[in-house]
Amino acid sequence: MRRTAAALTTVLAAGLVTAAGTGMALAEPAACAVPASHQIAQVQGAGNASPIAGQTVRVEGVVTGDYQRADQLKGFFVQDPTPDDDPKTSDGLFVYSTTEVSPGDRVLVSGKVVEYSGLTELSPVTAVDVCGRGKVAADNVRLPLEDGVTRESLEGVLVRFGQQLTATETYQLGRYGELTVAAGGRLFQPTEGRGDTAAGNAERALLIDDASTVQNPKTVPYTDPRVIRIGSTTAGLEGVLSEGFGSYRLQPTRTPHFANANPRPKKPQPVGGDVRVASFNTLNWFTTLNKRGANTAAEQERQLTKLVAALKGLDADVAGLMEVENNGDTALKALVDRLNAAVGEGTYTWVKHPKPGTDEIHVAVIYKAAKVKPVGAARSSDAPVFERPPLVQTFEPVAGGTPFTMVVNHFKSKGCGGATGPDADQGDGQSCYNARRVSQAKAIAELTAGVPNPVVLGDLNAYTAEDPIKTLTGAGLVGQTERFVRDEQRYSYVFDGQSGELDHVLTGADLSKRVTGATIWHINADEPTILDYNQEYNPPSLYQPDAFRSSDHDPVLIGLDLR
């Protein structure tokens, strides 16, 4: 492909000269005299796959990326110093060979053209002849790519992104050494209602790989001097664009350095009021081992320590909890007992769920007995649409004041297991079981019509612009984070590199006038999973007995002025 003059390759040493600085001996004159049979662009072709796959070729290029170690890709990238005139063809190529080379070596390589996981490469390789030194300047590119430029046309090419890029996904950081960054800030779910689209997000995103297929690497990238958080930024990213496992990926030629543009919040933002109400998904707090939570007693202790740190930091007077093991009050009591050991004996107690359902997990309510007191018995819903029935409890301040009613929920998840008919994915971005969640939202709306000052909260498994939330707001409930939290901070969960708000707090219109503030405490969604309580693969040195990555959902907190 044609590049600008600034990016054209300059061959510094052609032919049989000393390979200075590489520690390599040059190939025999006879070997270097055997010319290339094809340009790299001819091998790559203008499509997604090589037009000459299966043929044996000889190509000439300059080594741009060296990833030959046993724990790496076991090969290197070469790039043609004389690009062709076709913008659809790439001038870079991967060579699957551990013959020793160094970046800057001018090489002639003979091998068979194959496609491996979408990447055009030479394998097996029969000859790698080092015949001098050269230099390739990185192509300066930006995300989204310019019209007419595709990632396939840059496959195997040394590129540089001068713009600022933001970390937007760390889920596979510990397992595969992968990190996703994006132009224009973090990515948001299209159904958050911010104007994002799936196609636009894909164009803005770039996966950074560690040039390795090793699972659970001993040294996890971007964890020193601090563990990277989503929201961290980098600029001047440089590497070779590769392809594999269903996505294009950058193999860095220089170690990226990230600025801590999203520092950890040590405590929630102030919300005011005289009663603080929270919602928190505990990510399967189980006292029974080897089910959905911890597998060992040591993991369970680590999990409990983190959950207590999070709840202590929230300092809520009333908290609705999700994903607590449905084993009577055993798991809930264990959590409250440990929390009280940290904040003062007898500080918190809980409401017994009158109808916890048959699911392995259920919702719960804990509260400070010195601040609020239950009014009447706890209630639930008889609607058959709930797998995890809601918990409804009215409270009033001990010191006197306006009563309010907690309605704690955990709607049906977006997972597609068993989804058929209207519950199947309708292709509208709301994933599976959206119809079920809408039915659950309607049941909650009907329930709240008869209770004083409802506070509907929980993991609703629906983003802000999705039908279940519209159903609730259409019934007169008011979303509180939409009122008080800036758009760029309004998220509680990250999935597939896209942030969004699954955890909501909505109130009745009258009570909304008494809400003094709302915040989402970003202690979990921005943190890599390698920081959680699990011990199977997480590096032992990274675990800390703090609130960060105590769950995969961020807690939400509001303040109420009930005087």
Side-chain angles (χ1 to χ4, degrees):
M1 64 178 287
R2 183 176 297 278
R3 279 183 279 281
T4 62
L8 288 176
T9 299
T10 301
V11 178
L12 300 181
L16 305 182
V17 296
T18 301
T22 69
M24 286 291 297
L26 292 171
E28 293 295 326
C32 289
V34 179
S37 64
H38 294 75
Q39 277 194 292
I40 290 176
Q42 292 176 293
V43 175
Q44 283 281 7
N48 289 331
S50 172
I52 58 173
Q55 296 185 30
T56 297
V57 300
R58 184 169 174 83
V59 298
E60 180 178 353
V62 176
V63 176
T64 54
D66 178 15
Y67 311 105
Q68 295 178 290
R69 293 199 320 256
D71 62 340
Q72 293 183 314
L73 300 177
K74 301 182 179 66
F76 56 92
F77 288 90
V78 295
Q79 192 163 326
D80 196 328
T82 57
D84 70 356
D85 292 327
D86 188 349
K88 295 182 180 179
T89 60
S90 165
D91 300 306
L93 186 65
F94 182 66
V95 179
Y96 186 67
S97 169
T98 55
T99 301
E100 186 180 349
V101 296
S102 295
D105 285 345
R106 187 173 68 86
V107 295
L108 284 152
V109 181
S110 301
K112 184 179 180 180
V113 180
V114 298
E115 293 288 330
Y116 181 77
S117 192
L119 178 66
T120 304
E121 63 180 53
L122 298 187
S123 177
V125 171
T126 56
V128 176
D129 301 313
V130 179
C131 299
R133 294 284 288 169
K135 183 178 180 181
V136 169
D139 270 12
N140 289 308
V141 294
R142 291 181 62 85
L143 294 173
L145 296 175
E146 297 176 355
D147 290 344
V149 180
T150 66
R151 301 193 187 207
E152 180 64 26
S153 70
L154 294 171
E155 182 187 271
V157 172
L158 182 66
V159 293
R160 183 180 186 276
F161 298 87
Q163 70 200 112
Q164 179 174 284
L165 299 173
T166 302
T168 194
E169 173 68 291
T170 60
Y171 186 74
Q172 299 284 18
L173 181 63
R175 186 159 177 79
Y176 296 114
E178 296 176 354
L179 170 71
T180 299
V181 295
R186 72 166 67 225
L187 304 178
F188 280 86
Q189 293 286 345
T191 52
E192 265 299 312
R194 297 168 48 93
D196 301 78
T197 65
N201 283 350
E203 291 174 356
R204 290 169 51 201
L206 176 68
L207 190 155
I208 304 175
D209 202 2
D210 64 347
S212 170
T213 58
V214 173
Q215 295 186 29
N216 307 304
K218 292 182 179 179
T219 301
V220 179
Y222 316 117
T223 57
D224 185 29
R226 59 180 172 270
V227 179
I228 192 169
R229 274 171 59 88
I230 291 175
S232 301
T233 59
T234 188
L237 186 63
E238 187 171 306
V240 179
L241 192 65
S242 180
E243 187 177 2
F245 305 102
S247 63
Y248 292 95
R249 51 195 58 226
L250 189 79
Q251 310 295 353
T253 51
R254 298 177 181 174
T255 302
H257 295 284
F258 284 85
N260 188 21
N262 180 28
R264 283 179 161 182
K266 295 182 179 180
K267 58 183 179 181
Q269 290 292 316
V271 294
D274 55 326
V275 172
R276 295 157 59 94
V277 177
S279 172
F280 186 32
N281 183 320
T282 67
L283 184 56
N284 295 313
W285 163 241
F286 274 54
T287 51
T288 304
L289 299 177
N290 289 305
K291 292 191 76 173
R292 294 175 59 164
N295 295 326
T296 66
E299 282 189 345
Q300 187 180 79
E301 177 63 24
R302 286 156 59 106
Q303 181 185 19
L304 186 56
T305 299
K306 280 190 167 291
L307 288 174
V308 167
L311 290 169
K312 180 180 178 181
L314 276 172
D315 192 27
D317 299 310
V318 189
L321 307 179
M322 295 94 239
E323 294 196 15
V324 176
E325 184 179 8
N326 190 5
N327 60 346
D329 287 341
T330 302
L332 185 56
K333 181 179 185 301
L335 179 58
V336 171
D337 286 349
R338 182 61 70 88
L339 177 58
N340 282 338
V343 300
E345 198 63 37
T347 300
Y348 282 95
T349 186
W350 69 90
V351 173
K352 186 172 182 63
H353 200 314
K355 186 182 177 182
T358 59
D359 198 88
E360 285 190 318
I361 53 178
H362 73 314
V363 299
V365 170
I366 64 174
Y367 64 96
K368 289 182 178 179
K371 290 296 295 290
V372 296
K373 59 184 178 182
V375 178
R379 309 178 297 288
S380 188
S381 170
D382 293 323
V385 72
F386 291 107
E387 295 84 7
R388 299 175 284 264
L391 176 55
V392 183
Q393 177 65 65
T394 299
F395 288 95
E396 67 180 12
V398 170
T402 302
F404 64 99
T405 303
M406 295 280 285
V407 184
V408 185
N409 304 273
H410 190 183
F411 284 3
K412 178 68 176 176
S413 76
K414 292 178 176 288
C416 291
T420 59
D423 282 332
D425 193 332
Q426 304 299 304
D428 57 3
Q430 301 185 82
S431 195
C432 293
Y433 292 104
N434 185 57
R436 181 86 59 89
R437 290 190 293 275
V438 169
S439 296
Q440 292 173 338
K442 289 179 178 177
I444 292 299
E446 292 175 3
L447 186 155
T448 60
V451 301
N453 294 320
V455 180
V456 175
L457 56 77
D459 177 2
L460 304 186
N461 274 309
Y463 297 110
T464 306
E466 293 187 5
D467 297 335
I469 308 305
K470 291 179 179 178
T471 298
L472 294 172
T473 56
L477 294 167
V478 181
Q480 296 304 320
T481 57
E482 292 92 317
R483 294 181 61 204
F484 292 98
V485 181
R486 300 193 312 271
D487 280 352
E488 64 272 17
Q489 292 294 320
R490 204 156 51 74
Y491 61 90
S492 64
Y493 191 76
V494 175
F495 178 75
D496 198 23
Q498 300 172 113
S499 300
E501 191 174 7
L502 291 181
D503 305 83
H504 301 264
V505 178
L506 306 96
T507 72
D510 289 341
L511 187 62
S512 182
K513 300 172 185 177
R514 292 180 173 273
V515 177
T516 54
T519 190
I520 305 172
W521 192 21
H522 296 307
I523 54 175
N524 296 319
D526 289 338
E527 301 281 336
T529 58
I530 53 173
L531 300 183
D532 70 17
Y533 66 84
N534 287 281
Q535 292 183 298
E536 289 94 337
Y537 306 113
N538 293 355
S541 62
L542 295 184
Y543 176 80
Q544 294 295 324
D546 56 27
F548 297 98
R549 202 64 194 188
S550 52
S551 174
D552 52 348
H553 290 248
D554 290 330
V556 186
L557 183 68
I558 69 168
L560 297 173
D561 185 352
L562 301 176
R563 292 168 292 184

Coordinates of all heavy atoms in Angstrom, one line a residue, residues 129-157:
D129 N 17.4 -15.5 5.6 CA 18.7 -15.0 5.3 C 18.8 -13.5 5.7 O 18.1 -12.7 5.2 CB 19.0 -15.1 3.8 CG 18.9 -16.6 3.4 OD1 19.5 -17.4 4.1 OD2 18.3 -16.9 2.4
V130 N 19.7 -13.2 6.6 CA 19.9 -11.8 7.1 C 21.0 -11.2 6.1 O 22.1 -11.7 6.0 CB 20.4 -11.7 8.5 CG1 20.7 -10.3 8.9 CG2 19.4 -12.4 9.5
C131 N 20.5 -10.1 5.4 CA 21.4 -9.6 4.3 C 21.6 -8.1 4.5 O 21.8 -7.4 3.5 CB 20.7 -9.9 3.0 SG 20.5 -11.6 2.6
G132 N 21.7 -7.6 5.7 CA 22.0 -6.2 5.9 C 21.1 -5.6 6.9 O 20.4 -6.3 7.7
R133 N 21.0 -4.3 6.9 CA 20.2 -3.5 7.9 C 19.3 -2.6 7.1 O 19.6 -2.1 6.0 CB 21.1 -2.7 8.8 CG 21.9 -3.6 9.8 CD 21.1 -4.2 10.9 NE 20.6 -3.2 11.9 CZ 19.7 -3.5 12.8 NH1 19.1 -4.7 12.9 NH2 19.4 -2.5 13.7
G134 N 18.2 -2.3 7.7 CA 17.2 -1.3 7.1 C 16.4 -0.6 8.2 O 16.6 -0.9 9.4
K135 N 15.6 0.3 7.8 CA 14.8 1.0 8.8 C 13.4 1.2 8.2 O 13.2 1.6 7.1 CB 15.4 2.3 9.2 CG 14.6 3.1 10.2 CD 15.3 4.4 10.6 CE 14.6 5.1 11.7 NZ 15.2 6.4 12.0
V136 N 12.4 0.9 9.0 CA 11.0 1.2 8.6 C 10.4 2.2 9.6 O 10.5 2.0 10.8 CB 10.2 -0.1 8.7 CG1 8.7 0.1 8.5 CG2 10.6 -1.1 7.6
A137 N 9.8 3.2 9.0 CA 9.1 4.2 9.9 C 7.7 3.8 10.1 O 7.1 3.3 9.1 CB 9.2 5.6 9.2
A138 N 7.2 3.9 11.3 CA 5.8 3.5 11.6 C 4.8 4.4 10.8 O 5.0 5.6 10.6 CB 5.5 3.6 13.1
D139 N 3.8 3.8 10.3 CA 2.7 4.6 9.7 C 1.9 5.3 10.8 O 1.5 4.7 11.8 CB 1.7 3.6 9.0 CG 2.0 3.4 7.6 OD1 3.2 3.7 7.2 OD2 1.2 2.8 6.8
N140 N 1.7 6.6 10.6 CA 0.9 7.3 11.6 C -0.6 7.2 11.3 O -1.0 7.6 10.2 CB 1.3 8.8 11.6 CG 2.7 9.0 12.2 OD1 2.9 8.6 13.3 ND2 3.6 9.7 11.4
V141 N -1.3 6.6 12.2 CA -2.7 6.3 12.0 C -3.5 6.8 13.2 O -2.9 7.1 14.2 CB -3.0 4.8 11.7 CG1 -2.4 4.4 10.4 CG2 -2.5 4.0 12.9
R142 N -4.8 7.0 13.0 CA -5.7 7.4 14.0 C -6.9 6.6 14.1 O -7.3 6.0 13.0 CB -6.1 8.9 13.8 CG -5.0 9.9 14.0 CD -5.6 11.3 13.8 NE -6.6 11.7 14.8 CZ -6.3 12.1 16.0 NH1 -5.1 12.3 16.4 NH2 -7.3 12.4 16.8
L143 N -7.5 6.4 15.2 CA -8.8 5.8 15.4 C -9.9 6.8 15.5 O -9.7 7.8 16.2 CB -8.8 4.9 16.6 CG -7.9 3.6 16.5 CD1 -7.9 2.9 17.9 CD2 -8.3 2.7 15.4
P144 N -11.1 6.6 14.9 CA -11.4 5.6 13.8 C -10.5 5.8 12.6 O -10.0 7.0 12.3 CB -12.8 5.9 13.5 CG -13.4 6.7 14.6 CD -12.2 7.5 15.1
L145 N -10.2 4.8 11.9 CA -9.4 4.9 10.7 C -10.0 5.8 9.6 O -11.2 5.9 9.5 CB -9.1 3.5 10.1 CG -8.3 2.5 11.0 CD1 -8.2 1.1 10.4 CD2 -6.9 3.1 11.3
E146 N -9.2 6.4 8.8 CA -9.7 7.2 7.7 C -10.5 6.4 6.7 O -10.3 5.1 6.6 CB -8.5 7.9 7.0 CG -7.7 8.8 7.8 CD -6.5 9.4 7.1 OE1 -6.3 8.9 5.9 OE2 -5.8 10.2 7.6
D147 N -11.3 7.0 6.0 CA -12.1 6.3 5.0 C -11.2 5.7 4.0 O -10.2 6.3 3.5 CB -13.0 7.3 4.2 CG -14.1 7.8 5.1 OD1 -14.4 7.2 6.1 OD2 -14.7 8.9 4.7
G148 N -11.5 4.4 3.6 CA -10.6 3.7 2.7 C -9.5 2.9 3.3 O -8.9 2.1 2.6
V149 N -9.2 3.2 4.6 CA -8.2 2.4 5.3 C -8.9 1.4 6.2 O -9.8 1.7 6.9 CB -7.3 3.3 6.1 CG1 -6.2 2.5 6.9 CG2 -6.6 4.4 5.3
T150 N -8.5 0.1 6.0 CA -9.1 -0.9 6.9 C -8.0 -1.6 7.7 O -6.8 -1.4 7.4 CB -9.7 -2.0 6.0 OG1 -8.7 -2.7 5.2 CG2 -10.7 -1.4 5.0
R151 N -8.4 -2.3 8.7 CA -7.4 -3.0 9.6 C -6.7 -4.1 8.8 O -5.5 -4.3 9.0 CB -8.1 -3.5 10.8 CG -8.7 -2.3 11.6 CD -9.1 -2.6 13.0 NE -9.8 -1.5 13.6 CZ -9.9 -1.2 14.9 NH1 -9.3 -2.0 15.8 NH2 -10.6 -0.2 15.3
E152 N -7.4 -4.7 7.9 CA -6.8 -5.7 7.1 C -5.7 -5.2 6.2 O -4.7 -5.8 6.0 CB -7.9 -6.4 6.2 CG -7.3 -7.5 5.3 CD -6.8 -8.7 6.1 OE1 -7.2 -8.9 7.2 OE2 -5.9 -9.4 5.5
S153 N -5.9 -4.0 5.7 CA -4.8 -3.4 4.9 C -3.6 -2.9 5.7 O -2.6 -2.6 5.1 CB -5.4 -2.1 4.1 OG -5.6 -1.1 5.0
L154 N -3.7 -3.0 7.0 CA -2.6 -2.7 7.9 C -2.1 -3.9 8.6 O -1.2 -3.8 9.5 CB -3.0 -1.6 9.0 CG -3.4 -0.2 8.4 CD1 -4.0 0.6 9.6 CD2 -2.2 0.5 7.9
E155 N -2.6 -5.1 8.3 CA -2.2 -6.3 8.9 C -0.7 -6.5 8.7 O -0.2 -6.5 7.6 CB -2.9 -7.5 8.4 CG -2.6 -8.8 9.1 CD -3.2 -10.0 8.4 OE1 -4.3 -10.4 8.8 OE2 -2.6 -10.6 7.4
G156 N 0.1 -6.7 9.8 CA 1.5 -6.9 9.7 C 2.3 -5.6 9.6 O 3.5 -5.7 9.5
V157 N 1.7 -4.5 9.6 CA 2.3 -3.2 9.4 C 2.7 -2.5 10.7 O 1.9 -2.6 11.7 CB 1.5 -2.3 8.5 CG1 2.0 -0.9 8.4 CG2 1.3 -2.9 7.1

